[in-house]
Amino acid sequence: MTSQTSFDFDSTAIKPGFYTTMDKIANVLVRYGKTHLTVVGHTDNVGTNQYNQTLSEHRAQAVNDYLRNKGVLVQRLEFLGRGETAPRAANATEEGRRLNRRVEIVVEPIMAETQNQSPG
């Protein structure tokens, strides 16, 4: 993510600079149905733990809703928030806090269940 795609302070609004990336992800997911997405929201450490947890959940939900509106099946999407618990940069500077206001998108293959057949 860049400064154009991270979230503004205290905001759940997706920045327009992130739309292109999300559109590409949505297009791949719509075309190839054997993946599952987990959208994980994060915050900086300004504010209370509970407030930041809720904010991170709302950021993840905003991205989840965007992808769903682009045609990704809801059954393939999951979202959660991690609040301020998993920073990628130090929160001591504005630059570090900006980097921590983000979402991460985890793409995993959907594994077909196989049945074990025992002989005889």
Side-chain angles (χ1 to χ4, degrees):
M1 289 178 28
T2 67
S3 60
Q4 289 79 32
T5 61
S6 61
F7 289 88
D8 286 330
F9 177 74
D10 199 27
S11 174
T12 62
I14 298 168
K15 286 187 167 185
F18 199 28
Y19 293 159
T20 301
T21 299
M22 290 196 318
D23 289 345
K24 289 177 185 177
I25 292 169
N27 287 336
V28 169
L29 290 170
V30 168
R31 288 177 45 201
Y32 302 102
K34 303 226 182 234
T35 55
H36 180 266
L37 232 69
T38 303
V39 180
V40 184
H42 298 272
T43 67
D44 59 30
N45 70 347
V46 176
T48 67
N49 289 339
Q50 182 56 50
Y51 183 84
N52 286 334
Q53 177 61 37
T54 302
L55 180 61
S56 70
E57 292 167 5
H58 289 168
R59 286 177 174 164
Q61 184 173 11
V63 172
N64 181 81
D65 292 348
Y66 184 94
L67 294 172
R68 193 182 63 214
N69 289 332
K70 291 292 182 176
V72 178
L73 295 175
V74 67
Q75 296 88 340
R76 296 176 55 209
L77 292 167
E78 178 181 354
F79 68 93
L80 59 102
R82 291 239 167 92
E84 60 189 68
T85 64
R88 67 184 280 206
N91 279 298
T93 66
E94 176 51 39
E95 177 65 13
R97 290 187 295 275
R98 184 188 58 75
L99 291 171
N100 291 330
R101 295 189 295 264
R102 70 192 192 282
V103 294
E104 296 173 345
I105 301 173
V106 180
V107 181
E108 299 173 301
I110 296 173
M111 306 302 277
E113 291 186 30
T114 58
Q115 295 180 342
N116 291 334
Q117 296 181 6
S118 56

